[in-house]
Amino acid sequence: WLREERGVNIVDPCIRINVRKTKTAKKKIFNDMAKHKLLRQAMELYGPMWVTLFQFYFESLCRRSELAGLKWEYVDIPGRKVYIKNTLTVDYQRNVVERDVTKTEESEAWIPISEDIAKQLLRLKTKQKLTDTGFCTQCYVFREYDTAFCKWGKYIYPEAISQHFRYACTKAGL
């Protein structure tokens, strides 16, 4: 009707888009050898806390914000499980925001951990107890030790997890 009566020529704006040629992003899948290379490189670059974090990341499939928000009160080392409850996020002004909820309801749950992760967490907890005068169950599990000031940080940024992970992958040739 528009063409015949009004002389309007309608052009389909999507006519040149070919869906079959659209590239799709693929997530990298780590096999055991790649994980081993990454963890070895992380140990060289960052130390045992980051190796524990990355190994926990692989085994639990937790989000970065859930790893950053994990507190010692939710870690049951003898029972070999952790409760994912808190998250740490960063707002647009670079303020760290702690939330006592996860992104989805299904994420809030007890997650089993391997014996190896339990041992690594026990070593990390022992080290923090011995070297941090302010250590308590409300402390975050994953936090860095500042050798210049000889004190533990309060937390690590979720973005730092991604940055350290990517850099370790690059250095490991992955």
Side-chain angles (χ1 to χ4, degrees), residues 60-63 65-67 69-70 74 81-87 99-112:
S60 68
L61 302 177
C62 288
R63 294 178 177 89
S65 59
E66 293 166 351
L67 288 172
L70 183 62
Y74 300 118
K81 58 186 177 181
V82 296
Y83 190 70
I84 301 300
K85 182 173 175 52
N86 290 5
T87 58
R99 297 187 180 159
D100 62 349
V101 294
T102 56
K103 188 173 180 180
T104 61
E105 286 183 27
E106 296 81 24
S107 293
E108 188 174 325
W110 283 100
I111 296 176

Side-chain angles (χ1 to χ4, degrees), residues 69-77 81-83 85-86 98 110 125 135-141:
L70 183 62
K71 293 184 177 182
W72 283 116
E73 68 180 315
Y74 300 118
V75 177
D76 179 10
I77 294 173
K81 58 186 177 181
V82 296
Y83 190 70
K85 182 173 175 52
N86 290 5
E98 179 185 357
W110 283 100
K125 186 175 186 176
F135 180 83
C136 67
T137 58
Q138 291 292 315
C139 291
Y140 294 102
V141 173

